[in-house]
Amino acid sequence: MLYVDIPSQGEVAQLVSARGEAQISIYLKTTPETQHIDAARTKLKQLTQDAVAQLEQAGVAKRTIWPIEEQLHDLLDDDDFWRLQANSLAIFVTPDSLRSYRLPNHLSETVQVADRFHLKPLLRAVSMPQHAFVLALAENEVRVIELLGDQPAQEIRVTNLPKDAASVAGTANVNSRSYSGRQGGGEGQKHHLRQYARAVDAGLRGLLSGRSEPLILAATDPLLSMYRTINTYPHLAQDAITTSPVRVPAHELGTQAREIVDGINDASVKAFGDLYAARENEGRATTQVARAARAATFGAVDTLLVDMDSVVPGVVDETTGEVTFDTDQTAVSYGVIDEIAGRVLANGGKVIAVRRADIPQEAELAAVLRYAI
């Protein structure tokens, strides 16, 4: 199985705002198969050497470089850490700290050295979900299945979930009930099923609190419709698996759920494309890096699409947003697209990291503006 650490919005905001003389960002491919993880450890050793070379080229003092090397070497030697991995690993290290995130996405390997972190690849894990949960709900059973990247979906244990509808109702079955002059039979069954749905919703709060991954419902009516009216999780997917989940293996439900997740991501990109086309004629959309940088600096970007793999080295002026490109890609520069994305996030905008083919005109980025500038 995959072991994943998806950063929260608060953690992303901290990484965006971090500044320092030596901020190292490393992305590398990993594997959940422990017997094959040595290749990733070897690659990290190479990327560490690359980072040190960039720091030395920039004239950074040895006393600043040594703590960075030491932390990365400690990570390389931590067998327990490498035993539990996912598809990619993001590492952010300074002389004083090291943070790592195990990600379900397949990210390109890179090392970036600057006075701020290179975060655009990480944004893919946050903005385009590959991680989701399936709620397989039936009258006689309830299961939660976790979907992680391209790995087989697996059932997970959620301690507060009820066993079934009858156990919530305190009866042998949910097909009869009578009190306060109300009828039994079908009406009683609906009451018990709603009671059951509320108990399931309450039982999921511990698992889902603070999360933003899609929750995909696998159920049939009347439970399907009932749960939708009772659900309190804001990221319940609009589409559902509308066949009975009883005795359906987790991996089969995962296959159907993955199609829904892909649909959510595709819809997000399509919605941006439609909005971009509408705003372009109003002077409120651009694929020009320099214009997007100015707009991001002034808080004018509502939504930004960025190519998750490309790196455009340079500097963006803190006050004017003017871009100075650096073709040598030295450690005194940083990723311009990354910096634009950070400024958009800092001003309450939305950033979606995608492949270049998904961006209008296949540009480095595309921005929809709050107002023309």
Side-chain angles (χ1 to χ4, degrees), residues 158 160-162 196-207 227 230 232:
V158 181
N160 295 326
L161 284 180
Y196 173 47
R198 281 191 291 270
V200 171
D201 179 69
L204 287 174
R205 288 175 190 168
L207 172 68
Y227 191 83
I230 289 167
T232 59

Side-chain angles (χ1 to χ4, degrees), residues 51 68-69 90 95 124 132 142 149 175 200 208 211-212 214 217 227 230 247 255 259 284 286 289 342 352:
I68 292 172
E69 282 189 283
R124 174 74 176 186
V142 56
N175 295 317
V200 171
L208 299 177
R211 292 184 177 272
S212 59
L217 191 57
Y227 191 83
I230 289 167
R247 292 187 293 276
T255 298
E259 294 178 1
R284 294 173 53 192
T286 185
V289 172
I352 305 175

Side-chain angles (χ1 to χ4, degrees), residues 5 20 91 95 172 186 198 243 291 304:
D5 312 303
I91 303 171
R198 281 191 291 270
T243 55
R291 187 180 174 205
L304 181 73

Side-chain angles (χ1 to χ4, degrees), residues 178-201:
S178 178
Y179 82 92
S180 300
R182 298 180 66 179
Q183 300 297 313
E187 186 177 352
Q189 181 191 42
K190 290 179 181 178
H191 167 81
H192 288 313
L193 290 178
R194 288 192 186 96
Q195 185 181 20
Y196 173 47
R198 281 191 291 270
V200 171
D201 179 69

Side-chain angles (χ1 to χ4, degrees), residues 27-179:
Y27 296 89
L28 69 152
K29 297 176 182 178
T30 55
T31 174
E33 300 175 355
T34 305
Q35 67 272 28
H36 298 139
I37 199 62
D38 284 347
R41 297 174 81 163
T42 299
K43 187 63 180 181
L44 178 57
K45 185 177 181 179
Q46 296 171 358
L47 294 174
T48 298
Q49 294 169 349
D50 291 346
V52 170
Q54 289 186 46
L55 289 167
E56 291 175 343
Q57 182 183 4
V60 176
K62 289 288 187 182
R63 65 177 179 274
T64 300
I65 299 175
W66 289 337
I68 292 172
E69 282 189 283
E70 184 178 11
Q71 291 179 83
L72 287 169
H73 288 156
D74 284 346
L75 190 67
L76 278 166
D77 293 336
D78 189 341
D79 292 335
D80 288 339
F81 174 81
W82 291 100
R83 186 168 51 84
L84 307 174
Q85 289 298 318
N87 291 325
S88 295
L89 180 65
I91 303 171
F92 305 101
V93 59
T94 73
D96 302 316
S97 67
L98 184 149
R99 304 181 191 179
S100 64
Y101 297 96
R102 298 168 295 184
L103 305 173
N105 313 67
H106 294 274
L107 300 179
S108 300
E109 293 169 346
T110 186
V111 56
Q112 299 291 322
V113 177
D115 67 344
R116 63 204 70 195
F117 292 126
H118 175 58
L119 299 176
K120 185 151 45 61
L122 183 70
L123 296 177
R124 174 74 176 186
V126 178
S127 62
M128 300 293 282
Q130 300 297 314
H131 184 206
F133 296 99
V134 178
L135 174 60
L137 185 62
E139 180 180 319
N140 297 320
E141 68 174 41
V142 56
R143 293 179 291 155
V144 176
I145 294 156
E146 189 172 21
L147 186 67
L148 286 168
D150 57 3
Q151 300 298 306
Q154 295 191 8
E155 184 175 344
I156 60 174
R157 178 177 172 80
V158 181
T159 56
N160 295 326
L161 284 180
K163 178 182 177 182
D164 53 29
S167 64
V168 173
T171 62
N173 61 71
V174 297
N175 295 317
S176 63
R177 171 177 170 268
S178 178
Y179 82 92

Side-chain angles (χ1 to χ4, degrees), residues 13-20 23 115-117:
Q14 288 180 345
L15 291 170
V16 165
S17 63
R19 296 289 185 272
Q23 308 275 103
D115 67 344
R116 63 204 70 195
F117 292 126

